[in-house]
Amino acid sequence: MSTNVESTASGSEARDTTVGRTAPIDPTRTMTISDIVNVLESARDLSLIRLEDSHRRLDTITELHAGGLEWLIDQRVRQYVGRDVGELLSKLYGLGFAWSDIARMAGVSVPALRKWRRGESPTAENRRRLATIVAICDLVPERSPMVQDVAAWLEMPLSQNAPLTGIDLIAGGQFSLVLRWAQGEDGEHLLDLFKPGWRDAYRNDVEVFIASDGAPALRARSRDG
Amino acid sequence: MPEPDDPALLEAPATEDDLYHSRGEEVLPTRPLLTGDVLADVEIPGLDDGRDLAIVLTHPCSMRRDGVHLQDRIFVARVVEHAVVPASQWNGHYAKMPLSGLINGASYAALFDSAGLVRSEFLIETERVACLSEFGVNLLQQRLIFHLTRFVAPTFKLHESCVGVFREIELHDEWAEFFSGRSQTPTEVGAAFHEWLREAPAGGTSRQVRLGDDQQVAAVRREMRAHLAKLA
C-alpha cells in the first residue's frame, strides 16, 4: 500500500495526496452519502497504513525475539558442551526419550549413538548438537511452566493436520521454533516457517482406526468427518 | 519424520542410511523378528531357487498371534542383487523394494513376485543381515500395498498405524540389551518383557496400550528404565 493519506484531527477532512483529491466537509451542512463514503475511504486508508506499520514493527520484534532466544540457547549450550557425553545421554535417557529419537535429534544413526553410549567420542560438532538438545530440554519447562514432561511434549504433533513434532523441529535444527512453540505460538504458523509446503505434503483422505481385532488399521476418511 | 515430496507418489529415502536400523554387525541378535528384517539362507517353498536372502513382509501387527509368539508361518520375499535404484526412480519398479547398500555396500532388491510363506521356526534360527528402520518398514509396506492393490498409502499414515509396535520393539531392544550376558534365554527375556508391558493397575490401562499414546509413551519408558535400574 503506497497511498499517502492526511487527515485532520477532527476527521472532518480527508485528503489523498497521491491522487491529489481533497474532500473538505462543511460542518454546517448535512453530510451526503458521498461525503460519508469519502470519510470512510480515508479512514480505511489510514488504518491500512497503521496496520502495515504494525506488521513491520511485529516483524522487527519477532526477529529480535528470535535472536534473543538463539542467544539464550547458546548460553545454555555453553554450560553443557564441555560435559561428559555419558552425562548428557543419561540426562536425555532419564527424561524418557527413545534412543532412536535422541539419534534423530542428534543427526546420527542408532548404531552410532550406541557407540557413544559405549564410550566412543562423538565429533565436536556432534557433541555440540547433543549439548543443544539438553539445553532445549532445560529451557522448554523454564519458558513454559505448563510443560512438565518435556519428552512427552516434544513427541506431540504441532498440528492435528500433520505428524510433525518438536523432535522434528530439533532434528531440523530449528531450536528457537521449539521455544516459541513452548511459549504458546500457534503450531501451524511455526510449521509454515519450518516446512512451508507441509499442508500439501500431508493432505490425505486416509485415517487410522481400531479394527475389530483390536489392532490399528487404515481406511478412507469418512465424508461426514 | 521424512516429508513426502508428493503424497500421490511412492516415496523414496533421502539417503540409503535412512532405510536401515542396522546392518551387518550392527544388528542386535536379541531384537525380535520384525517386518523388513533381511535374513540369510531362507528357502521359500514354491520358488525352487534354493536358500538365499529373504525379507520379512508380514505386517508388524500380524506377526505374533498373542503379542509374544510368532505366527506359525511368516510371509517373506526373495532378495537378490540389483542395480541401485536412484531416488528419482522409486516411483517405478513397482514389484520391488530397492535395498541400496544392503550388504558391504552392494545393492539388492526384494522381489514381491517371488514370495511365499516360511515356517517361523526356521526364520528365528537364521542369521539376520539387516533390519529396516521404521521409515524403511513404512516404505516397504507402501510398495507392497501398491503392488497388490495399486493404492498409494501415505507412509506417515502407515507409521501412525504401527507406532505402538515400533515403540514396543525399541523398548524390547533396550530390555534385552540390559539382560544380555545373563542366564535367561531370549524367549525368557521376551516373555518377562511382555509380562511387564502388559501389567496394568486395577481398572487402568496396560503399558502396552499406553505406548500408542504420544502423551504417555515417555512415562512408560521412564517406568521401564526405573524398573531395570532396580534389577541392576
Side-chain angles (χ1 to χ4, degrees):
Chain A
M1 172 64 64
S2 60
T3 306
N4 186 8
V5 175
E6 294 172 6
S7 174
T8 61
S10 66
S12 61
E13 179 181 332
R15 184 161 58 94
D16 183 337
T17 56
T18 304
V19 294
R21 185 184 70 198
T22 56
I25 295 169
D26 180 354
T28 63
R29 71 172 173 81
T30 304
M31 287 177 75
T32 64
I33 295 296
S34 177
D35 292 335
I36 293 171
V37 168
N38 285 343
V39 169
L40 289 173
E41 276 178 2
S42 300
R44 183 201 60 190
D45 290 347
L46 188 63
S47 296
L48 284 171
I49 288 169
R50 288 179 176 160
L51 189 60
E52 279 182 18
D53 194 39
S54 294
H55 283 161
R56 272 194 296 274
R57 275 186 221 165
L58 181 62
D59 287 346
T60 304
I61 290 168
T62 301
E63 204 172 305
L64 289 170
H65 177 240
L69 290 176
E70 295 288 353
W71 185 86
L72 278 177
I73 294 167
D74 189 58
Q75 292 302 303
R76 193 60 58 97
V77 169
R78 285 165 193 258
Q79 289 181 22
Y80 285 115
V81 77
R83 302 271 183 94
D84 179 65
V85 169
E87 183 189 336
L88 299 178
L89 290 174
S90 281
K91 193 166 168 67
L92 297 172
Y93 176 86
L95 288 170
F97 285 106
W99 287 119
S100 60
D101 285 333
I102 297 172
R104 195 153 63 89
M105 289 188 287
V108 298
S109 68
V110 172
L113 187 71
R114 199 176 299 128
K115 288 177 185 168
W116 296 355
R117 288 165 57 200
R118 291 173 180 168
E120 194 170 293
S121 288
T123 63
E125 186 186 348
N126 285 334
R127 181 187 289 272
R128 183 172 178 84
R129 182 70 172 228
L130 206 52
T132 306
I133 301 166
V134 175
I136 293 290
C137 292
D138 263 9
L139 288 167
V140 164
E142 286 177 20
R143 308 296 297 173
S144 175
M146 296 288 285
V147 179
Q148 294 178 346
D149 184 342
V150 69
W153 180 78
L154 284 168
E155 288 192 58
M156 299 289 290
L158 275 78
S159 161
Q160 61 177 359
N161 296 315
L164 297 167
T165 64
I167 286 173
D168 290 299
L169 294 180
I170 294 175
Q174 297 296 322
F175 310 118
S176 64
L177 293 188
V178 177
L179 297 189
R180 287 169 66 176
W181 187 37
Q183 289 174 306
E185 274 197 54
D186 178 60
E188 296 199 347
H189 170 63
L190 295 173
L191 288 181
D192 288 338
L193 300 174
F194 177 52
K195 298 242 183 235
W198 71 272
R199 291 172 203 273
D200 289 332
Y202 293 106
R203 181 173 294 126
N204 73 95
D205 291 323
V206 177
E207 68 179 359
V208 176
F209 73 104
I210 302 299
S212 59
D213 63 357
L218 298 179
R219 67 182 175 197
R221 196 187 303 277
S222 163
R223 292 291 173 203
D224 301 332
Chain B
M1 172 158 301
E3 182 181 354
D5 292 330
D6 182 340
L9 302 178
L10 297 182
E11 296 162 43
T15 70
E16 71 177 36
D17 288 345
D18 291 343
L19 269 182
Y20 302 102
H21 170 275
S22 47
R23 283 173 280 185
E25 292 178 351
E26 295 170 350
V27 175
L28 295 171
T30 51
R31 186 175 169 87
L33 194 72
L34 184 66
T35 315
D37 285 0
V38 180
L39 304 150
D41 298 325
V42 177
E43 183 172 355
I44 304 176
L47 292 191
D48 299 324
D49 62 350
R51 291 173 176 271
D52 211 332
L53 295 167
I55 191 167
V56 175
L57 297 180
T58 299
H59 190 275
C61 299
S62 310
M63 287 190 68
R64 290 172 171 77
R65 59 178 183 271
D66 55 2
V68 181
H69 298 95
L70 288 168
Q71 299 285 1
D72 290 342
R73 290 178 178 79
I74 299 291
F75 191 40
V76 302
R78 178 63 75 221
V79 172
V80 296
E81 285 195 68
H82 191 280
V84 173
V85 176
S88 60
Q89 292 176 25
W90 272 62
N91 193 44
H93 296 276
Y94 293 138
K96 299 168 189 167
M97 169 68 184
L99 296 165
S100 302
L102 175 67
I103 302 172
N104 297 326
S107 290
Y108 291 74
L111 309 177
F112 297 144
D113 286 331
S114 297
L117 291 168
V118 175
R119 294 190 71 85
S120 56
E121 64 204 60
F122 296 135
L123 297 180
I124 54 177
E125 292 172 357
T126 305
E127 180 197 356
R128 233 179 322 187
V129 299
C131 300
L132 294 190
S133 64
E134 293 175 9
F135 184 51
V137 173
N138 297 334
L139 287 171
L140 173 67
Q141 288 194 71
Q142 184 185 55
R143 300 186 74 81
L144 180 61
I145 291 167
F146 189 80
H147 172 68
L148 296 173
T149 66
R150 309 294 291 181
F151 175 74
V152 180
T155 55
F156 67 94
K157 282 294 175 185
L158 291 167
H159 187 272
E160 187 181 334
S161 69
C162 294
V163 71
V165 177
F166 288 144
R167 288 169 174 168
E168 187 175 320
I169 291 286
E170 187 165 13
L171 276 185
H172 182 283
D173 281 351
E174 210 174 309
W175 181 286
E177 191 180 3
F178 177 84
F179 284 100
S180 67
R182 300 193 182 201
S183 57
Q184 292 97 326
T185 65
T187 306
E188 289 169 341
V189 169
F193 169 72
H194 280 96
E195 187 182 342
W196 176 86
L197 194 66
R198 289 174 176 189
E199 278 178 4
T205 309
S206 75
R207 297 184 181 101
Q208 192 170 34
V209 172
R210 289 166 60 207
L211 280 182
D213 183 345
D214 292 339
Q215 294 183 77
Q216 297 201 47
V217 61
V220 175
R221 288 191 205 106
R222 287 195 297 268
E223 286 170 29
M224 190 187 86
R225 290 163 183 174
H227 176 76
L228 294 179
K230 282 184 198 163
L231 299 176

